[in-house]
Amino acid sequence: MVRIAYATILALASAVMAIPSPLTPDPAGEKNVGNGAGGQFIGGACLSSADCASTCCATLNGAGICSGVGAQFQAGKQGCGFGDGGSAPAASAPAAAPAASGTAGTGNGSGSGSGGNINTSAPGSQNVGTGNGQQFITGQCLSDADCKSGCCALATGLCAAEAVANEGQGCGFVA
């Protein structure tokens, strides 16, 4: 009886492992596909990097999917630049993180935006230091209050998913 149960469990586990789990674009953001307005969320379909809030339209199975720059080669993705005519500005390193200015605490989410260096040419720079929670993941931040995820990573000064930031030093960056 024990051998049958073990064999059954092994067979079920093998069947589950054999089922592919393909990453596919989330259809909820269809209104953001192809308009170049930078409103598409990570995981949504895209026709070029201009569609994505993260500025990275990664190639996946011959189609585009918005991705964080740091995740552009994960889960079968082949890097940023889908639909960009061979140029993939988002495939380079993420925008420079705000540097500490020596005036710790000035970017405390109050919306003042003082302290730190903001790369104003980077996508999402209008959301840095506002404290209104509108910055996308991988965008610059001066505090947790800037990020939709509620996490400005200590190690980078970029918005991150809390689980990802906790693999490093966690959230709570303050410029």
Side-chain angles (χ1 to χ4, degrees):
M1 184 73 157
V2 172
R3 286 186 176 168
I4 293 173
Y6 179 72
T8 303
I9 292 171
L10 186 59
L12 288 172
S14 296
V16 169
M17 294 170 91
I19 298 171
S21 178
L23 180 63
T24 57
D26 186 333
E30 287 182 11
K31 66 182 181 288
N32 298 317
V33 179
N35 64 13
Q40 186 65 293
F41 52 85
I42 290 175
C46 52
L47 297 180
S48 76
S49 294
D51 289 344
C52 304
S54 65
T55 70
C56 175
C57 184
T59 302
L60 178 67
N61 300 325
I65 185 168
C66 289
S67 174
V69 175
Q72 65 180 303
F73 294 106
Q74 295 176 354
K77 292 180 278 183
Q78 298 171 338
C80 302
F82 180 84
D84 295 344
S87 64
S92 61
S101 65
T103 54
T106 58
N108 61 6
S110 65
S112 66
S114 59
N117 296 322
I118 299 170
N119 179 351
T120 56
S121 65
S125 63
Q126 73 278 7
N127 299 319
V128 181
T130 62
N132 66 4
Q134 294 299 306
Q135 187 64 295
F136 54 85
I137 289 178
T138 71
Q140 302 172 82
C141 52
L142 297 181
S143 73
D144 290 344
D146 287 344
C147 306
K148 283 184 181 180
S149 65
C151 178
C152 186
L154 281 171
T156 62
L158 301 174
C159 291
E162 190 172 341
V164 172
N166 286 335
E167 289 178 9
Q169 297 175 353
C171 306
F173 179 89
V174 177

